[in-house]
Amino acid sequence: MRYSAGRPLFRQGDAADAIFYIGYGQVHRLVTTEKGDDRLVAILGPGAFCGEECLANKPYRTTSAVVVEDAEIARIERSLMPNLLREWPDLAGAFTAFLVAHSLETEAALIDQLVGSAEQRLARVLLKLANVGNGSRDFGITSNVKQEMLANLIGSTRPRVNYFLNKFRRLNLIEYGGHLPPGTIKVHTRLRRMGEID
């Protein structure tokens, strides 16, 4: 199915009855606090699965998922997923790879919160959003990035994020503003040095 930006896949508290595969586009996972504030907990892009907790027989969604870029997403009913994983090895491989990567990212985020600084967490989030790996590219591009979103992701405040972004720009580790569209950040691979935990 095609989803337009702003459309929810599911809301916190909904029945956990399906899993979603993102063909293209971007989805944000959010958790709503007791005060009614939405906190961003994950950003998912092409090749990611969403709502996988339904396979653990959780009856209700613990987060919300909202499409933030026009997207094409496959909805797979919970009852069908076990058979599909048995009958489609490519799907099983992609799903397993996603779960392992997700587990490692969750562990890395926990380590960041325990021993990393807010500056290091921001560097790592920017590298991830820009899809800057260990390949040959010198930079990656993020889009639709807001400082409030970054602050949510790293457990900090918007002024601190602004301070670190300006510092990274002064050091020529990132670029934004000027000729780049609003909400776009060009992230250089050199930023990896800032994200390393001692």
Side-chain angles (χ1 to χ4, degrees):
M1 294 176 62
R2 290 188 177 172
Y3 291 78
S4 56
R7 182 175 172 185
L9 291 180
F10 51 81
R11 294 284 186 194
Q12 190 171 327
D14 286 353
D17 56 1
I19 187 169
F20 299 84
Y21 174 76
I22 304 168
Y24 69 80
Q26 191 177 96
V27 173
H28 285 185
R29 295 290 296 263
L30 307 161
V31 64
T32 303
T33 68
E34 290 181 357
K35 295 180 179 179
D37 300 323
D38 285 334
R39 298 295 174 91
L40 183 65
V41 294
I43 297 172
L44 303 171
F49 291 84
C50 184
E52 66 280 2
E53 71 278 1
C54 74
L55 298 179
N57 291 322
K58 290 193 173 182
Y60 302 107
R61 302 290 186 187
T62 56
T63 64
S64 299
V66 179
V67 175
V68 294
E69 289 179 0
D70 289 350
E72 189 170 276
I73 299 173
R75 176 188 165 101
I76 306 167
E77 294 299 319
R78 176 178 62 190
S79 59
L80 297 178
M81 193 67 175
N83 287 337
L84 290 175
L85 291 174
R86 280 192 296 272
E87 295 171 10
W88 293 74
D90 289 346
L91 175 64
F95 187 60
T96 301
F98 167 77
L99 291 177
V100 171
H102 181 64
S103 174
L104 293 173
E105 287 172 9
T106 301
E107 181 179 294
L110 178 59
I111 291 169
D112 276 351
Q113 292 292 335
L114 292 173
V115 300
S117 68
E119 183 177 37
Q120 289 169 323
R121 293 195 299 272
L122 179 60
R124 289 168 62 100
V125 163
L126 289 172
L127 289 162
K128 181 184 175 196
L129 290 175
N131 199 23
V132 177
N134 295 317
S136 59
R137 292 189 311 154
D138 292 328
F139 65 87
I141 300 289
T142 70
S143 59
N144 299 318
V145 174
K146 295 181 180 171
Q147 292 186 12
E148 294 86 356
M149 177 187 85
L150 294 172
N152 275 340
L153 283 172
I154 69 169
S156 189
T157 64
R158 186 187 174 283
R160 291 295 287 165
V161 166
N162 184 267
Y163 172 80
F164 293 135
L165 289 176
N166 286 326
K167 177 180 177 180
F168 295 164
R169 183 164 61 174
R170 281 195 311 273
L171 295 172
N172 294 316
L173 302 175
I174 64 171
E175 299 173 38
Y176 61 91
H179 65 284
L180 294 172
T184 300
I185 301 176
K186 184 176 181 179
V187 180
H188 295 276
T189 56
R190 298 186 302 274
L191 184 63
R192 283 203 296 262
R193 294 194 309 262
M194 301 298 290
E196 293 171 354
I197 296 175
D198 299 326

